[in-house]
């Protein structure tokens, strides 16, 4: 199906408010009980489109588009919508801030035991077990709220409401700082000896053909020499020096699942997350690494820089996170493309250093690679390879193929790929896990990001086809109410073997990621289409001929003529002028205008020849 982000987001809002807002009261929780992550996901379903898509803005009551106003009517009249949203956001901070004023980042009901059939123990220590997902989504939510507050404050007139906006700004900024500190203390460098099982797993994932261990080690040493030096010299905040790799060691860098074991405390901050002990094993998880990278990229967006909403401490933390973001991007992108002829990423599924394999891990590495390709000049060869990998991942995830009985791909979507939280056994004897089930929306997001990188028509069409197929897949997973689908997720009853699996309440985890994919789609649609050099050359030839013939017609034309001939010449001139104006932004449109001008010029010449023959 065609992806229509405006209509689909509005449909989500309409059905969401039926679930979440009754008798002027916000209802927290969904399929999972209320926790800091799920509640942030619930809020972002509203705030992310409002602050990312200009035509969804609700700051000025007199400028809210009619379709947006109609959908948000349950929140009140146009003058009440923003005020209600402020009240709901303040309630979020009430719910996830301790009595001591400390922001809480516990995953709560999202945590499970490693054995999914074993219930989660009632242990108060679980409430203080932070995860990177909570830091990352808090960064995205708090930035969205700060953007919202800035825009709304310009329109608000009531002193009481301005006080609420000021309170929201302070609380969002405080949680943002705490989340950034927690994120820094969750960054890890995992040094690995080549002789260990971890080291062999890294080498075997990179090995293409008969390459020896020594050759791979030499290639890694050459490829990562500068990055290794930066890890030693520049990465200081929160990371112990004794975890950084020696010259003869392999290494990984990225984010573990929470504050790392032995993470250095970060002074100058009065947050628990700045000094509390960490439990997470000092090995990067791909899932939490990509989650962290997505949060950090929001910090450095053009909108945030333009609004100048970060204070001095936040800018310092942001710089430190940006350094880690850059090093991590470079590391995983280089690993994905280690052999330029046959990328290790093409060897699906990706195997992590602990020996786990999954198509989902390949998709996560692809996520990092695409972001890296956005930041540098991607070659056509890179993009062609990326398209092929995304298409293969869509097939393997049964996005573009049907599910079969006992299909192992079902597990990618339900219950998702298990992320065992190494080190959590120090809190709960059985150990804990999170389950990642965002394969389909992630396919949409990454396909659209990749499509923006190329002017190759075939590649763009292939990527759009994958994204639309993923939206078809997700449409079949909408919740069913009274026999009809609603724009909330996630129902899996059409999967073979899950016909009896029924859910009444929405998963904000999946729904928020669908919204995120739709916002990414809107961002792609708002950009001007890429310019093809071949089409541009063709356009210049058309314009050259059109202007030349046009000038000939002007020479033949009587300047005092006010007949339809003069009107037609003026029309042709306007087409040529407009074509020139659009030649860089919309080459295909400019070609159409130039061709229209040429057809009109040919019609004038043909009419003149007919008149000559009649004489």
């Amino acid at each position: 199906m065609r992806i229509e982000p405006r209509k689909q987001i509005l449909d989500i809002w309409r059905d969401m408010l039926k679930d979440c807002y009754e008798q002027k009261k916000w209802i927290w929780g969904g399929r999972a009980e209320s926790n800091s992550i799920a509640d942030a996901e619930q809020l972002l379903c509203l705030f992310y489109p409002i602050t990312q898509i200009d035509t969804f803005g609700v700051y000025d009551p007199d400028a809210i588009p009619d379709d947006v106003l109609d959908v948000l009517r349950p929140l009140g009249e146009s003058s009440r919508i923003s005020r209600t949203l402020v009240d709901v956001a303040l309630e979020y901070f009430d719910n996830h801030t301790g009595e001591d004023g400390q922001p809480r980042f516990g995953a709560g009901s999202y945590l499970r035991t490693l054995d999914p059939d074993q219930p989660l123990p009632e242990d108060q220590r679980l409430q203080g077990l932070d995860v990177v997902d909570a830091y990352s989504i808090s960064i995205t939510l708090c930035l969205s709220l700060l953007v919202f507050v800035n825009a709304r404050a310009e329109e608000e007139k009531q002193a009481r409401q301005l006080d609420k906006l000021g309170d929201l700004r302070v609380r969002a900024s405080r949680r943002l700082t705490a989340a950034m500190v927690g994120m820094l203390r969750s960054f890890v460098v995992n040094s690995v000896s080549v002789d260990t099982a971890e080291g062999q797993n890294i080498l075997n994932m990179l090995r293409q053909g008969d390459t020896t261990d020594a050759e791979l080690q030499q290639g890694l040493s050459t490829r990562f020499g500068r990055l290794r030096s930066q890890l030693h010299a520049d990465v200081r905040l929160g990371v112990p020096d004794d975890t950084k790799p020696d010259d003869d060691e392999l290494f990984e860098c990225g984010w573990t699942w929470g504050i790392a074991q032995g993470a250095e405390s970060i002074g100058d901050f009065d947050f628990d997350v700045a000094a509390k002990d960490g439990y997470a094993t000092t090995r990067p998880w791909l899932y939490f690494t990509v989650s962290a990278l997505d949060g950090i990229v929001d910090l450095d967006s053009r909108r945030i820089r333009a609004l100048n909403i970060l204070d001095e401490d936040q800018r310092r933390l942001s710089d430190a996170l940006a350094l880690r973001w850059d090093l991590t991007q470079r590391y995983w992108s280089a690993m994905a493309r280690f052999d330029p002829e046959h990328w290790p990423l093409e060897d699906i599924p990706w195997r992590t250093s602990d020996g786990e394999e999954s198509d989902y891990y390949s998709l996560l590495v692809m996520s990092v690679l695409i972001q890296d390709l956005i930041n540098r000049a991607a070659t056509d060869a890179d993009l062609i390879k990326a398209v092929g990998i995304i298409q293969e991942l869509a097939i393997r995830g049964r996005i573009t193929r049907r599910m079969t009985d006992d299909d192992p791909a079902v597990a990618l979507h339900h219950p998702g790929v298990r992320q065992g939280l190494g080190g959590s056994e120090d809190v709960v004897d059985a150990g804990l896990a999170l389950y990642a089930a965002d394969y389909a929306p992630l396919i949409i997001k990454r396909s659209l990001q990749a499509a923006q990188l190329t002017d190759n028509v075939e590649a763009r069409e292939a990527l759009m086809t994958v994204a639309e197929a993923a939206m078809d897949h997700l449409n079949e997973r909408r919740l069913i109410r009274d026999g009809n689908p609603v724009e909330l997720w996630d129902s899996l009853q059409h999967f073979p073997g899950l016909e009896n699996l029924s859910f009444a309440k929405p998963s904000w985890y999946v729904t928020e990621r669908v919204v995120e994919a739709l916002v990414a789609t809107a961002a792609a649609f708002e950009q001007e289409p890429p310019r093809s050099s071949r089409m541009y050359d063709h356009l210049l030839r058309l314009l050259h001929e059109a202007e030349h013939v046009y000038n000939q017609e002007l020479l033949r034309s009587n300047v005092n003529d006010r007949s339809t001939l003069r009107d037609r010449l003026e029309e042709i001139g306007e087409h040529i002028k407009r074509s020139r104006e659009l030649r860089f932004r919309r080459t295909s449109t400019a070609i159409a205008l130039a061709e229209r001008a040429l057809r009109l010029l040919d019609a004038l010449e043909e009419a003149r020849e007919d008149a000559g023959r009649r004489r």
Side-chain angles (χ1 to χ4, degrees):
M1 66 170 288
R2 181 178 178 83
I3 305 177
E4 300 179 68
R6 184 179 188 87
K7 179 182 182 302
Q8 289 168 286
I9 289 172
L10 291 176
D11 288 342
I12 290 170
W13 283 0
R14 180 181 290 106
D15 290 324
M16 177 184 177
L17 291 178
K18 290 177 183 177
D19 263 50
C20 299
Y21 197 65
E22 290 183 3
Q23 299 178 345
K24 298 184 178 181
K25 181 176 176 59
W26 191 263
I27 301 169
W28 298 100
R31 186 171 307 167
E33 293 180 8
S34 172
N35 65 66
S36 71
I37 303 173
D39 292 352
E41 290 164 343
Q42 192 178 8
L43 281 187
L44 280 171
C45 288
L46 284 170
F47 280 101
Y48 200 58
I50 287 172
T51 55
Q52 294 291 319
I53 304 174
D54 291 338
T55 56
F56 278 21
V58 297
Y59 318 112
D60 181 357
D62 297 327
I64 302 175
D66 289 343
D67 55 352
V68 174
L69 184 59
D70 178 63
V71 168
L72 297 181
R73 187 73 69 181
L75 298 176
E77 298 299 321
S78 60
S79 60
R80 284 289 314 159
I81 289 174
S82 288
R83 293 169 181 173
T84 301
L85 289 172
V86 168
D87 290 340
V88 173
L90 287 170
E91 190 176 327
Y92 172 85
F93 290 104
D94 290 339
N95 294 342
H96 301 292
T97 304
E99 293 181 1
D100 55 0
Q102 291 288 339
R104 296 197 302 246
F105 297 98
S109 55
Y110 275 4
L111 294 173
R112 304 190 201 177
T113 56
L114 288 172
D115 179 357
D117 296 326
Q118 183 177 342
L120 195 68
E122 294 184 7
D123 192 321
Q124 286 298 316
R125 290 178 299 171
L126 291 178
Q127 301 303 317
L129 197 64
D130 300 356
V131 295
V132 161
D133 273 11
Y135 301 143
S136 177
I137 203 157
S138 287
I139 288 174
T140 301
L141 175 63
C142 291
L143 289 173
S144 296
L145 292 175
L146 290 170
V147 170
F148 181 90
V149 167
N150 273 18
R152 178 58 189 159
E154 295 179 1
E155 305 295 337
E156 186 58 74
K157 306 301 180 188
Q158 291 188 11
R160 181 168 174 271
Q161 296 299 325
L162 286 170
D163 288 343
K164 284 188 176 183
L165 287 169
D167 186 24
L168 181 56
R169 178 184 282 114
V170 169
R171 298 172 81 175
S173 184
R174 180 171 170 77
R175 188 176 184 88
L176 172 62
T177 304
M180 295 166 75
V181 170
M183 191 81 86
L184 277 172
R185 298 189 69 220
S186 303
F187 179 82
V188 292
V189 181
N190 182 33
S191 301
V192 179
S193 170
V194 70
D195 298 323
T196 63
E198 280 185 308
Q200 286 300 304
N201 284 332
I202 292 173
L203 292 181
N204 288 334
M205 188 65 242
L206 299 180
R207 195 186 317 276
Q208 304 300 316
D210 298 326
T211 313
T212 65
D213 284 2
E215 290 171 330
L216 287 172
Q217 282 183 274
Q218 181 59 45
L220 286 167
S221 178
T222 302
R223 182 75 64 91
F224 292 129
R226 182 183 174 194
L227 195 152
R228 188 192 302 267
S229 298
Q230 284 185 278
L231 285 171
H232 278 284
D234 300 333
V235 178
R236 298 183 180 279
L237 276 177
V239 180
D241 282 333
D242 60 7
T243 66
K244 297 174 183 178
D246 294 330
D247 290 344
D248 61 345
E249 289 182 308
L250 306 178
F251 70 93
E252 304 171 289
C253 61
W255 275 264
T256 185
W257 56 264
I259 296 175
Q261 296 171 358
E264 299 286 344
S265 60
I266 299 179
D268 303 327
F269 295 101
D270 63 344
F271 300 114
D272 287 346
V273 293
K276 68 192 295 187
D277 290 338
Y279 294 99
T281 302
T282 54
R283 179 184 70 80
W285 268 251
L286 274 170
Y287 171 75
F288 295 105
T289 293
V290 172
S291 177
L293 293 174
D294 283 346
I296 294 168
V297 79
D298 289 334
L299 279 169
D300 198 40
S301 70
R302 275 184 286 180
R303 182 177 301 232
I304 297 304
R305 291 199 304 269
L307 290 173
N308 194 29
I309 60 178
L310 301 183
D311 63 28
E312 185 176 342
D313 283 337
Q314 289 166 347
R315 283 193 290 272
R316 179 166 64 90
L317 293 170
S318 179
D319 289 344
L321 286 170
L323 171 63
R324 287 153 179 76
W325 185 92
D326 178 63
L327 295 175
T328 304
Q329 288 279 149
R330 285 162 46 199
Y331 174 85
W332 288 103
S333 177
M335 293 290 280
R337 299 175 295 110
F338 186 75
D339 184 328
E341 294 300 320
H342 187 81
W343 291 356
L345 183 54
E346 294 179 274
D347 190 8
I348 301 171
W350 187 271
R351 184 187 306 114
T352 58
S353 61
D354 63 348
E356 295 286 330
E357 290 184 334
S358 174
D359 296 340
Y360 182 65
Y361 296 141
S362 296
L363 180 55
L364 292 175
V365 176
M366 173 57 71
S367 298
V368 182
L369 176 61
I370 289 172
Q371 190 63 53
D372 185 55
L373 295 178
I374 290 172
N375 294 330
R376 64 183 179 85
T379 66
D380 284 343
D382 286 342
L383 291 166
I384 289 169
K385 281 182 179 287
V387 171
I389 295 168
I390 290 174
Q391 288 177 312
E392 177 65 18
L393 290 172
I395 292 170
R396 294 171 71 102
R398 302 301 181 263
I399 301 296
T400 53
R401 296 289 189 275
R402 65 178 178 86
M403 291 277 185
T404 59
D405 291 337
D406 300 320
D407 199 323
V410 169
L412 292 171
H413 310 287
H414 178 82
V417 180
R418 188 180 72 180
Q419 310 297 315
L421 307 185
S424 62
E425 57 273 9
D426 293 338
V427 179
V428 176
D429 290 342
L432 299 171
L434 286 176
Y435 283 79
D438 59 341
Y439 195 94
L442 198 55
I443 282 276
I444 297 176
K445 185 176 179 180
R446 302 314 179 191
S447 296
L448 287 163
Q449 287 178 332
Q452 296 175 57
L453 297 175
T454 179
D455 60 10
N456 183 296
V457 176
E458 291 79 11
R460 287 175 62 85
E461 183 64 24
L463 290 165
M464 285 302 301
T465 298
V466 169
E468 289 169 354
M471 186 54 71
D472 284 335
H473 168 95
L474 285 166
N475 272 348
E476 293 182 354
R477 290 167 55 178
R478 290 175 294 176
L479 291 182
I480 304 298
R481 301 273 172 82
D482 299 324
N484 297 310
V486 296
E487 300 297 318
L488 297 171
W489 284 264
D490 185 26
S491 174
L492 301 144
Q493 290 173 281
H494 75 288
F495 284 0
L498 301 181
E499 292 85 357
N500 296 323
L501 189 67
S502 177
F503 296 109
K505 294 183 178 181
S507 162
W508 297 120
Y509 171 89
V510 178
T511 302
E512 187 276 335
R513 280 155 179 79
V514 173
V515 170
E516 195 177 315
L518 291 171
V519 170
T521 306
F525 289 173
E526 285 177 346
Q527 290 190 357
E528 295 293 347
R531 192 186 79 186
S532 164
S533 57
R534 292 192 299 272
M535 292 177 68
Y536 183 71
D537 291 342
H538 177 57
L539 169 62
L540 292 183
R541 294 185 180 93
L542 292 176
L543 278 173
H544 177 75
E545 181 173 332
E547 288 188 321
H548 189 81
V549 177
Y550 176 63
N551 288 331
Q552 289 178 336
E553 291 292 341
L554 288 177
L555 281 172
R556 298 188 186 104
S557 172
N558 186 332
V559 295
N560 294 322
D561 185 6
R562 293 294 178 263
S563 67
T564 56
L565 172 63
R566 175 56 64 174
D567 293 339
R568 184 55 55 88
L569 284 172
E570 288 179 0
E571 180 186 354
I572 293 168
E574 286 299 318
H575 285 325
I576 293 173
K577 178 183 177 184
R578 181 63 177 161
S579 179
R580 280 207 166 275
E581 290 172 350
L582 293 176
R583 67 189 186 277
F584 297 118
R585 294 191 293 121
R586 299 178 186 173
T587 308
S588 297
T589 303
I591 287 173
L593 289 166
E595 289 177 339
R596 169 70 174 161
L598 285 166
R599 283 195 295 271
L600 291 173
L601 287 165
D602 183 62
L604 289 179
E605 183 176 352
E606 187 177 7
R608 188 170 52 254
E609 290 173 352
D610 284 346
R613 283 193 292 269
R614 285 196 296 271
R615 294 193 193 99

